[in-house]
């Protein structure tokens, strides 16, 4: 890049984006203080299966790329831990279904609006040395309950 | 960037990275209110489900913001054109950057020039300059080759320089 573009780049870096509003920070605080959304049964059942699949796939690239041991070698060498080489590079959440249950009465008698959103979360890990990648997809259902009051 | 320690408060993290995330969210949404919704959803999801993954939390969070923006756009796709025009008008009045002690005209010119960039160039520029992502990370975010990300960045800077030169001449 020429000097003029580098100067413009430096000028842009000096500009500070506006701060998020207090309302946004407060809303995040409320969300994080509330208990996390309940996951449905099949999502939980998928977690251990996905973990097993992830473990198998993680081991796969090192098996193929590791050099064959020399026949004359007397002392076995401990293999390097393959998991540490993978780093997460992206996490995506695809929304594939939404429903509005409308007004519902909760167990404590509170009236509330309930919404459901179904996602598939996909996390990708990559080994920067071998370029091997691992993708892990897990279904997730999120329920949002908004208490309402009538005046 | 380092991993987030377990005992770090979400407030500390959000205070540091929140402005960048909001700026990026504004590239993918139609109004500041929508951008704030997107940042809220993405940050809460990240803090609860993804921050323990290790690696590059900032890159993961930008992905989460982008995905939330895409979901919001899909949900809002049927909103009337009239409402969209009204929101677009308000958005033009809201500054994107903090107002400096002096040189506010220059900041305003830069914001105008940024809005005039093609969206695909603007998002690369914002992710690179203020998101502080590498071209490799931007390429992963946008699902484009790293060379394309680098080219878009250079085109964006050149277009900004041209627009700002024109503004200087007329101003």
């Amino acid at each position: 890049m020429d000097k003029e573009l580098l100067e413009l780049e430096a000028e842009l870096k000096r500009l500070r984006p506006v701060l998020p509003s207090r309302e946004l920070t407060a809303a995040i605080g409320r969300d994080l203080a509330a208990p996390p959304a309940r996951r449905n049964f099949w999502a939980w059942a998928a977690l251990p299966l996905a973990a097993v699949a992830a473990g198998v796939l993680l081991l796969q690239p090192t098996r193929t790329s590791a050099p064959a041991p020399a026949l004359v070698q007397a002392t076995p060498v401990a293999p390097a831990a393959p998991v540490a080489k993978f780093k997460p590079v992206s996490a995506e959440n695809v929304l594939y279904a939404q429903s509005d249950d409308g007004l519902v009465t909760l167990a404590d008698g509170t009236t509330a609006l309930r919404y459901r959103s179904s996602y598939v979360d996909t996390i990708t890990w990559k080994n920067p040395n071998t370029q091997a990648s691992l993708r892990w997809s897990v279904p997730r259902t999120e329920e949002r309950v908004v208490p309402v009051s009538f005046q | 960037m380092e991993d987030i320690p377990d005992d770090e408060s979400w407030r500390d993290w959000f205070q540091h990275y929140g402005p960048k995330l909001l700026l990026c969210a504004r590239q993918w949404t139609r109004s500041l209110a929508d951008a704030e919704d997107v940042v809220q959803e993405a940050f809460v999801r990240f803090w609860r489900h993804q921050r323990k993954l290790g690696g590059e939390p900032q890159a993961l969070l930008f992905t989460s913001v982008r995905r939330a923006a895409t979901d919001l756009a899909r949900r809002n796709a049927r909103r009337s054109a009239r409402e969209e025009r009204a929101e677009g008008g308000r958005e033009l009045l809201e500054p994107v950057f903090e107002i400096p002690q002096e040189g506010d005209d220059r900041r305003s010119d830069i914001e105008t020039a940024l809005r005039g960039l093609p969206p695909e160039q603007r998002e690369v520029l914002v992710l690179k300059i203020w998101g502080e992502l590498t071209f490799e990370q931007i390429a992963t975010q946008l699902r484009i080759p790293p060379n394309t990300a680098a080219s878009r960045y250079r085109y964006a800077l050149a277009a900004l320089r041209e627009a700002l030169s024109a503004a200087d001449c007329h101003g």
Side-chain angles (χ1 to χ4, degrees), chain A residues 1-2 4-5 8-9 11-21 23-29 31-37 39 87-96 98 119 121 123 125-126 131 135-136 140 142 144, chain B residues 10-11 14-15 18-20 22-23 26 36 39-41 43-45 47-50 53-56 59-60 63-64 67 71 74-75 95-98 106-107 110 125 129-130 136 140 143 153-154 157-158 160-161 164-165:
Chain A
M1 284 198 295
D2 62 37
E4 208 176 333
L5 285 186
L8 176 59
E9 188 180 46
E11 182 182 6
L12 294 176
K13 284 179 178 172
R14 285 195 295 272
L15 287 173
R16 307 267 44 103
V18 292
L19 297 173
S21 65
E23 290 78 12
L24 174 58
T25 308
I28 289 174
D31 275 5
L32 289 175
R39 288 165 185 260
K87 292 198 167 186
V89 292
S90 73
E92 299 177 356
N93 314 84
V94 176
L95 175 71
Y96 67 90
Q98 270 193 315
Y119 298 89
D121 295 345
I123 300 164
W125 286 268
K126 199 169 179 180
Q131 299 302 313
R135 186 164 289 184
W136 179 31
R140 174 169 61 88
E142 195 173 277
R144 290 191 180 197
Chain B
W10 70 265
R11 284 182 189 279
F14 189 69
Q15 192 174 13
K20 299 174 186 178
L22 188 60
L23 178 63
R26 290 178 77 171
E36 290 194 333
V39 169
Q40 179 182 348
E41 182 180 336
F43 187 84
V44 170
R45 182 190 300 156
W47 197 258
R48 279 188 172 155
H49 305 300
Q50 297 168 356
L53 292 174
E56 298 282 347
L60 290 177
T63 310
S64 195
R67 174 55 62 188
D71 289 344
R74 199 177 295 145
R75 289 199 291 268
V96 176
F97 300 107
E98 285 183 359
R106 179 68 172 175
R107 176 198 59 83
I110 289 175
L125 187 80
I129 296 273
W130 294 283
E136 187 79 32
T140 304
R143 299 188 179 185
Y153 180 70
R154 283 194 299 274
L157 278 180
L160 269 187
R161 176 176 59 182
L164 290 170
S165 299

Side-chain angles (χ1 to χ4, degrees), chain A residues 1-85:
Chain A
M1 284 198 295
D2 62 37
K3 187 183 171 189
E4 208 176 333
L5 285 186
L6 289 173
E7 285 173 359
L8 176 59
E9 188 180 46
E11 182 182 6
L12 294 176
K13 284 179 178 172
R14 285 195 295 272
L15 287 173
R16 307 267 44 103
V18 292
L19 297 173
S21 65
R22 287 181 183 175
E23 290 78 12
L24 174 58
T25 308
I28 289 174
R30 279 195 302 273
D31 275 5
L32 289 175
R38 199 178 49 181
R39 288 165 185 260
N40 64 9
F41 173 76
W42 63 285
W44 280 113
L47 278 173
L49 292 174
V52 170
V56 170
L57 285 172
L58 273 174
L59 291 171
Q60 204 67 24
T62 36
R63 266 193 213 150
T64 53
S65 59
L71 291 174
V72 293
Q73 192 171 8
T75 313
V77 177
V83 179
K85 292 178 182 172

Side-chain angles (χ1 to χ4, degrees), chain B residues 2 8 16 86 111 149 163:
Chain B
E2 295 176 357
E8 188 169 1
H16 188 71
E111 288 190 5

